[in-house]
């Protein structure tokens, strides 16, 4: 018996042993806050976020280091917008900008931000609600990923390794592989 067979067996067992705990650790830590706020009458159909009973976000995108947000309101309102806080600090000061949103029109606000913004109105503060917008991902495949996604990816990777190893073992045993042939 060569060294190759025990090594192959050890590799297969370790792949299975490492994939099993990942499959068992599926947890759901999702918390959803129920919002009883709906979009105002007459609001555009492409609402991204309802800030309060009068203000909605219709669109947002990231351009040249700025988050560009389009607000719509059915009445004159003031919306406060603060950029994402530096996560490297334990304490600090946050600056915000107040934007005036006119009635029945779309108002565009540009906020310099590296990752996202927090926004609120007087009415949303009374309801004890702040809202946030993150910088949109430009990745081909974007998150957020759950525990099930991580589990499935690890199982798929382990299965791919096992299939590749089994293919090499079978092709070496059958003799279809011509690599490493001795010339004697």
């Amino acid at each position: 018996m060569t060294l190759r067979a025990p090594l192959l067996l050890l590799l297969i067992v370790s792949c299975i042993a490492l994939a099993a705990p990942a499959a068992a650790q599926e947890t759901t830590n999702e918390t959803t806050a129920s919002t009883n706020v709906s979009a105002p009458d007459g609001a555009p159909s492409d609402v991204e976020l309802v800030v309060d009973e009068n203000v909605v976000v219709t669109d947002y995108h990231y351009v040249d280091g700025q988050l560009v947000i389009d607000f719509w309101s059915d009445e004159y309102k003031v919306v406060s917008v603060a950029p994402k806080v530096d996560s490297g600090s334990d304490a600090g000061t946050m600056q915000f900008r107040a934007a005036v949103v006119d009635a029945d029109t779309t108002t565009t606000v540009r906020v310099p931000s590296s990752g996202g913004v927090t926004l609120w109105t007087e009415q949303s503060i009374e309801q004890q609600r702040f809202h946030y917008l993150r910088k949109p991902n430009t990745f081909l495949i974007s998150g957020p990923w759950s525990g099930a996604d991580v589990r499935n990816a690890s199982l798929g990777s382990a299965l791919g390794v096992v299939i590749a190893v089994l293919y090499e073992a079978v092709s070496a045993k059958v003799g279809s592989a011509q690599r490493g042939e001795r010339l004697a």
Side-chain angles (χ1 to χ4, degrees), residues 154-166:
S154 65
L155 288 174
S157 299
L159 182 63
V161 168
V162 168
I163 289 172
V165 167
L166 288 176

Side-chain angles (χ1 to χ4, degrees), residues 141-164:
I141 301 173
S142 62
W145 295 281
S146 66
D149 297 327
V150 173
R151 178 202 62 212
N152 293 342
S154 65
L155 288 174
S157 299
L159 182 63
V161 168
V162 168
I163 289 172

Side-chain angles (χ1 to χ4, degrees), residues 9 32 34 47-48 92 94 96 121 124 153 155 172 175 180:
L9 184 61
T32 57
S34 64
V47 172
E48 294 280 336
M94 182 174 79
F96 69 94
T121 62
S124 71
L155 288 174

Side-chain angles (χ1 to χ4, degrees), residues 117-133:
V117 296
T118 303
L119 48 104
W120 64 92
T121 62
E122 235 179 81
Q123 193 173 19
S124 71
I125 289 175
E126 290 171 4
Q127 298 169 350
Q128 299 179 348
R129 288 194 179 113
F130 285 84
H131 303 280
Y132 63 91
L133 296 172

